[in-house]
Amino acid sequence: MSDFTDKLCPPSEVEQRIAALPRPVVFTNGVFDLLHRGHVTCLARARALGASLVVGLNSDISARGLGKGPDRPLNSQYDRACVLAALESVSLVITFDEATPIELLKRVRPQWYVKGGDYDIETLAETALVRSWGGNARALPFVDGQSTTALVQRIRA
């Protein structure tokens, strides 16, 4: 059995590692700060659309720019990447520093781009980009009552 950290992909190896993955490739992205049932459900559903699932992970710098709070993310990008990589549904984890995964998507060129149902997939620039090369985009059903923000609020209360 290989070490799950083998699924962590440095930016310098993106094209090489993507080329080695079975097709079709599915891509999703997020902060994944405190992994919960909503996250793992979405990741499993995403993987079911293809043969490989690539997760773009917002770096600590990127996550802080998303306005989730001054103390977020709670877990470091390396810790978040390792937790994701340990999941059976995840094929590769790539961290990105930008506000959106647009530049990473250009390098990965997945056949599918997916987000949770709390996003309007049709309004995302990522959707237009993936469709520009013939890919597909889909919003997966949102798991009600599951959010890291709500979990952090419960812990603080």
Side-chain angles (χ1 to χ4, degrees), residues 41-61:
T41 300
C42 184
L43 292 168
R45 288 175 177 163
R47 175 62 181 264
L49 293 172
S52 302
L53 176 61
V54 175
V55 178
L57 180 68
N58 292 81
S59 70
D60 291 345
I61 292 167

Side-chain angles (χ1 to χ4, degrees), residues 70-125:
D71 57 348
R72 300 279 305 278
L74 300 171
N75 288 305
S76 74
Q77 66 191 38
Y78 182 73
D79 289 342
R80 292 181 288 120
C82 285
V83 169
L84 287 166
L87 298 176
E88 182 180 356
S89 59
V90 175
S91 305
L92 208 58
V93 179
I94 309 167
T95 303
F96 64 95
D97 290 327
E98 300 78 19
T100 71
I102 291 286
E103 294 306 313
L104 180 55
L105 275 167
K106 290 176 183 176
R107 297 176 69 193
V108 173
R109 294 184 61 90
Q111 286 74 44
W112 281 95
Y113 176 68
V114 299
K115 288 295 283 182
D118 50 337
Y119 288 86
D120 181 353
I121 198 80
E122 296 304 322
T123 66
L124 299 175

Side-chain angles (χ1 to χ4, degrees), residues 104-153:
L104 180 55
L105 275 167
K106 290 176 183 176
R107 297 176 69 193
V108 173
R109 294 184 61 90
Q111 286 74 44
W112 281 95
Y113 176 68
V114 299
K115 288 295 283 182
D118 50 337
Y119 288 86
D120 181 353
I121 198 80
E122 296 304 322
T123 66
L124 299 175
E126 294 90 329
T127 295
L129 177 65
V130 171
R131 287 180 177 160
S132 75
W133 59 69
N136 300 292
R138 179 180 294 174
L140 299 174
F142 183 69
V143 180
D144 286 329
Q146 297 294 312
S147 82
T148 302
T149 301
L151 185 56
V152 169
Q153 290 170 347

